[in-house]
């Protein structure tokens, strides 16, 4: 096939657009869920790139004749079609019921099934074949996330001319956990097909190096692994957001109006506490709700003055752990509202919805206290979006120590979400924080995100990849 002269080939499980079918059966293309897309898409706006990925629908769906748009802005799109069975075994199964819990501190039991593994291999082969086909000679190929860990080696075996980078958006577990994976050696071997492997936090990078040493006996020199006569650089690149985009939206008149409207609709409470998460068991929504309820019960929070808005974005609804989590969260919301709400004034406002970007920014602006309390999170971009939205310089962020963002956002109220007393105390500290202190800590958060936006993140990764020099965590 004829290869277009792309500057960059990007590949992720999902394309930045996903097909959504409305009640009339009409297909619309909407932004795909998750932090990967919301970060990567703005970072590519100035590049002649092609993005290879899945459209979020099954290849056998009736609406498959509605083709994926050819491009999104300057970025060309190239679909890798998946069948319903592949989605079940590779995406819902191996990636999200096997790897996802394992890579997040084994918070839920993983399923390890050979049938799912075979589908993971087959889908990774399919992605690699597409890349081998479309990548121009000597191309730079940037592969993303845990769904595609075998692609680097598969691609290298077919195209020795290309330069291959991989970035893992989620944590890489310590060897004691990773070694549970029946196909642990194959996964590490797959990643070692890269020239550069990037992680969110230094600990993820050192966990990966330890696994490579343990399983494949590789030689290492600082952040470089030597394997099969090929150097693989390993580095830390904490991902970020499009700060300017968030700030511009936050400053808009429509956002300010919507923010006031939201406050009024909530009954003009003294303090709006806010949670915004994909409805994932890693996010700690249940314990957050329990902490809120305990504070209402003890009288440290008052339903007439304090309300909680919890946005829970639907995600991976076919996977049982997610169904269980939704059930538990919704039971808790019902119980808390039943006990503490007044007619017309719920104390928890729960939205199981995907909100448009503008609405989300208005909500961030309306939120006096943002609760980001995951048990484990690669980075957590909600924390960064909240700080970027608060152009008024006010607002408090309560942030889990176990989110990657905690390394940088040290002006947040940091908390161990497993410790219920500490979590309650962190909420009280945030709610009662004096205005002067709030403003000074928010200034610290905003300084930090201005130092590292997503364009800088992509630039650092890609220049490191192009230079082929050892990656460093400091620049
Ligand atoms: O970074 C984690 C991640 O799995 C991304 O790969 C993905 O884009 C996002 O979360 C949302 O998940 P999903 O694609 O399964 O809806």
């Amino acid at each position: 096939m004829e290869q277009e002269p792309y500057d960059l080939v990007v590949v992720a499980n999902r394309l930045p657009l996903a097909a959504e079918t409305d009640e009339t059966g009409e297909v619309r293309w909407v932004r795909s869920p998750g932090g990967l897309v919301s970060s990567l898409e703005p970072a590519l706006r100035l590049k002649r790139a092609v993005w290879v990925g899945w459209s979020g629908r099954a290849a056998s769906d009736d609406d498959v004749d509605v083709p994926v748009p050819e491009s999104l802005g300057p970025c060309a799109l190239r679909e890798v079609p998946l069948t319903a069975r592949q989605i079940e075994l590779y995406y819902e199964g191996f990636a999200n019921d096997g790897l996802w819990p394992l890579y997040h501190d084994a918070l839920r039991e993983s399923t390890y099934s050979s049938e799912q593994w075979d589908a993971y291999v087959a889908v990774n082969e399919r992605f690699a074949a597409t890349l081998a086909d479309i990548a121009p000679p000597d191309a730079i190929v940037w592969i993303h996330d845990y769904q595609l860990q075998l692609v680097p080696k598969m691609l290298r075996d077919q195209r020795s001319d290309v330069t291959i980078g991989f970035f893992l958006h989620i944590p890489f577990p310590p060897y004691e956990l990773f070694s549970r994976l029946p196909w642990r050696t194959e996964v590490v071997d797959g990643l070692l097909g890269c020239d550069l492997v990037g992680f969110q936090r230094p600990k993820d990078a050192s966990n990966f190096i330890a696994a490579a040493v343990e399983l494949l006996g590789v030689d290492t020199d600082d952040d470089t692994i030597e394997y099969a006569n090929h150097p693989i650089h390993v580095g830390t690149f904490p991902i970020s957001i499009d700060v300017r985009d968030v700030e511009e939206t936050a400053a808009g008149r429509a956002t300010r109006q919507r923010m006031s409207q939201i406050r009024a609709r909530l009954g003009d409470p003294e303090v709006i506490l806010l949670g915004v998460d994909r409805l994932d068991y890693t996010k700690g929504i249940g314990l957050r709700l329990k902490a809120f309820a305990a504070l209402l019960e003890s009288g440290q929070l008052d339903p007439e003055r304090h309300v909680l808005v919890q946005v829970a974005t639907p995600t991976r609804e076919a996977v049982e752990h997610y169904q269980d989590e939704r059930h538990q969260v919704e039971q808790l919301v019902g119980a808390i509202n039943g006990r503490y709400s007044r007619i017309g004034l719920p104390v928890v406002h729960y939205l199981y919805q995907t909100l448009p970007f503008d609405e989300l920014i208005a909500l961030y602006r309306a939120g006096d206290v943002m609760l980001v309390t995951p048990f484990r999170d690669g980075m957590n971009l909600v924390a960064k979006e909240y700080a970027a939205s608060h152009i008024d310089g006010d607002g408090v962020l309560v942030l889990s120590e176990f989110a990657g963002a905690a390394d940088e956002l040290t002006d947040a109220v940091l908390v161990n979400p497993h410790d219920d007393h500490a979590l309650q105390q962190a909420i009280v500290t945030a709610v009662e924080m004096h205005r002067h202190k709030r403003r000074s800590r928010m200034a610290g958060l905003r300084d930090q995100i201005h130092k590292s936006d997503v364009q800088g993140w992509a630039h650092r990764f890609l220049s490191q990849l192009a230079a082929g020099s050892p990656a460093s965590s400091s620049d």
Side-chain angles (χ1 to χ4, degrees), residues 8 30 44 111 156 222 243 278 290 295 357 386 415 418:
L8 176 64
V30 297
L44 298 180
T111 303
R156 172 141 336 265
D222 284 335
V243 177
R278 279 190 307 107
K290 284 185 184 161
L295 292 169
F357 178 70
Y386 177 72
V415 65
H418 298 275

Side-chain angles (χ1 to χ4, degrees), residues 14 33-34 36 91 96 100 145-147 169-170 278 316:
R14 278 186 191 273
L36 184 154
Y91 169 72
N96 287 320
W100 181 270
D145 233 354
Y146 61 102
Q147 301 94 343
H169 292 250
I170 67 174
R278 279 190 307 107
R316 304 174 190 165

Side-chain angles (χ1 to χ4, degrees), residues 427-443:
I427 295 173
V428 171
T429 302
V431 167
E432 292 180 351
M433 194 179 288
H434 191 272
R435 182 164 183 273
H436 178 71
K437 196 160 181 196
R438 289 201 307 261
R439 295 189 72 81
S440 124
R441 291 178 83 144
M442 181 50 80

Side-chain angles (χ1 to χ4, degrees), residues 12-15 32-38 51 54 91 95-96 100 104 144-147 168-170 200 239 278 280 283 314-316 322 377-379:
N13 172 54
R14 278 186 191 273
L15 286 168
S32 295
L36 184 154
V37 166
S38 60
W51 184 319
W54 167 55
Y91 169 72
N96 287 320
W100 181 270
H104 289 86
H144 290 265
D145 233 354
Y146 61 102
Q147 301 94 343
L168 187 70
H169 292 250
I170 67 174
Q200 303 274 25
I239 199 169
R278 279 190 307 107
D280 196 300
K283 304 289 184 184
T315 182
R316 304 174 190 165
Y322 289 78
D377 214 330
M379 175 54 59

Side-chain angles (χ1 to χ4, degrees), residues 131-458:
L131 295 172
D133 194 25
I134 66 164
D138 303 318
I140 302 273
V141 180
W142 193 5
I143 303 164
H144 290 265
D145 233 354
Y146 61 102
Q147 301 94 343
L148 303 178
Q149 294 172 109
L150 306 179
V151 174
K153 173 150 195 303
M154 290 170 171
L155 178 59
R156 172 141 336 265
D157 288 347
Q158 296 172 64
R159 289 284 304 269
S160 59
D161 60 308
V162 299
T163 301
I164 305 174
F166 179 94
F167 184 75
L168 187 70
H169 292 250
I170 67 174
F172 193 90
Y175 187 66
E176 296 71 49
L177 285 180
F178 183 69
S179 58
R180 294 181 186 181
L181 182 67
W183 304 277
R184 58 198 181 185
T185 310
E186 288 87 337
V187 166
V188 172
D189 185 53
L191 290 169
L192 291 177
C194 286
D195 297 286
L196 172 62
V197 189
F199 296 92
Q200 303 274 25
R201 297 176 100 168
K203 193 74 195 135
D204 302 318
S206 59
N207 286 344
F208 173 68
I209 293 174
V213 169
E214 198 68 47
L215 294 167
L216 292 165
V218 298
D219 290 326
T220 61
D221 180 8
D222 284 335
D223 291 339
T224 303
I225 294 175
E226 196 63 38
Y227 182 58
N229 296 323
H230 173 71
I232 299 107
H233 304 303
V234 179
T236 311
F237 304 85
I239 199 169
S240 192
I241 55 164
D242 188 346
V243 177
R244 178 128 61 94
D245 193 21
V246 173
E247 285 188 338
E248 278 174 13
T249 308
R253 218 173 111 197
T255 304
R256 269 183 286 129
Q257 282 172 347
R258 181 66 187 139
M259 171 183 74
S260 312
Q261 208 177 34
I262 290 171
R263 288 203 81 95
R265 292 296 291 269
L266 293 173
D268 270 322
E270 209 172 291
V271 180
I272 297 174
L273 297 109
L274 178 62
V276 175
D277 310 85
R278 279 190 307 107
L279 209 167
D280 196 300
Y281 51 82
T282 59
K283 304 289 184 184
I285 303 171
L287 278 193
R288 186 187 308 161
L289 287 165
K290 284 185 184 161
F292 182 65
L295 292 169
L296 291 171
E297 188 61 35
S298 67
Q300 286 165 281
L301 295 183
D302 172 358
E304 300 212 7
R305 296 189 295 130
H306 304 107
V307 299
L308 171 65
V309 178
Q310 176 63 56
V311 179
T313 307
T315 182
R316 304 174 190 165
E317 289 172 296
V319 180
E320 206 177 313
H321 288 317
Y322 289 78
Q323 295 164 2
D324 293 346
E325 182 68 12
R326 180 178 174 193
H327 185 68
Q328 285 169 23
V329 164
E330 294 184 353
Q331 259 195 340
L332 274 168
V333 170
I336 299 170
N337 275 336
R339 184 155 167 73
Y340 301 103
S341 298
R342 291 159 295 146
I343 300 278
L345 289 173
V347 68
V348 181
H349 296 254
Y350 171 74
L351 305 175
Y352 183 63
Q353 291 163 30
T354 305
L355 295 186
F357 178 70
D358 295 9
E359 178 73 357
L360 210 49
I361 303 297
L363 207 48
Y364 287 140
R365 281 212 62 182
D368 302 298
V369 172
M370 180 84 219
L371 304 175
V372 179
T373 56
F375 297 126
R376 178 59 70 193
D377 214 330
M379 175 54 59
N380 197 294
L381 298 176
V382 163
K384 294 189 174 184
E385 285 173 353
Y386 177 72
S389 300
H390 271 262
I391 48 174
D392 60 351
D394 207 341
V396 187
L397 173 66
V398 175
L399 178 62
S400 163
E401 293 165 17
F402 301 103
D407 284 357
E408 298 166 273
L409 302 182
T410 48
D411 278 299
V413 178
L414 294 173
V415 65
N416 170 5
H418 298 275
D419 178 342
D420 55 352
H421 291 293
L423 186 52
Q424 289 170 37
Q425 189 47 53
I427 295 173
V428 171
T429 302
V431 167
E432 292 180 351
M433 194 179 288
H434 191 272
R435 182 164 183 273
H436 178 71
K437 196 160 181 196
R438 289 201 307 261
R439 295 189 72 81
S440 124
R441 291 178 83 144
M442 181 50 80
L445 295 175
R446 291 180 50 73
D447 274 356
Q448 177 55 40
I449 55 160
H450 279 123
K451 276 191 225 147
S452 61
D453 67 359
V454 74
Q455 285 82 6
W457 167 78

